[in-house]
Every structure is written in structure tokens, then in C-alpha cells.
Amino acid sequence: TAAAFSPKGDRLAVAYKAGKQRTVTVFDDLRGPKGPTPTATFDVDVAPHKITAVAFAPDGTRLAVGEGDAAN
């Protein structure tokens, strides 16, 4: 599992394993009345590795996903 806030703090990316699939979900409206809203979810093909990091670009327009050996 990995997580990162966007540079402005208005979005949160969370990477996690759901079954055998590795997934990243981006949440917007973190301070809204209904709480964080998932706005994008995508599967990441890194098998058999695990997602070890996520990071937004300095301008907040791109998201990087890092992976590592599942044995570590």
C-alpha cells in the first residue's frame, strides 16, 4: 500500500492490492461535505511485484507509480 497527496493537497492517490490485482484510486474533494470522492481508478500491471510508491508530478497533472520485488 502506498499513498500521496497532490502538491496542492486537493487530491489523494492510494495504491493497494485487491486480490491479485494492483489498483490505484485517485480521490478528489477531500474536504467536501461528503468526504473524499473517488474520481479515477485504474489497475496497474506490475505482477508479481507490489506497488511501493505513488507520487504526483510537481504540477499535479501526472501520477507516477513505483513497484518493487514482492519478496522484499
Side-chain angles (χ1 to χ4, degrees):
T1 303
F5 285 99
S6 65
K8 292 182 181 179
D10 58 343
R11 288 184 288 164
L12 173 66
V14 179
Y16 54 93
K17 183 177 177 185
K20 292 185 179 182
Q21 188 61 49
R22 281 73 170 170
T23 303
V24 176
T25 300
V26 178
F27 296 89
D28 286 345
D29 200 19
L30 300 179
R31 296 186 181 109
K34 295 183 181 181
T37 304
T39 55
T41 298
F42 52 96
D43 296 330
V44 181
D45 185 15
V46 295
H49 299 143
K50 61 182 177 179
I51 297 173
T52 58
V54 290
F56 282 92
D59 64 3
T61 62
R62 292 175 303 246
L63 182 67
V65 178
E67 52 88 15
D69 188 337
N72 292 330

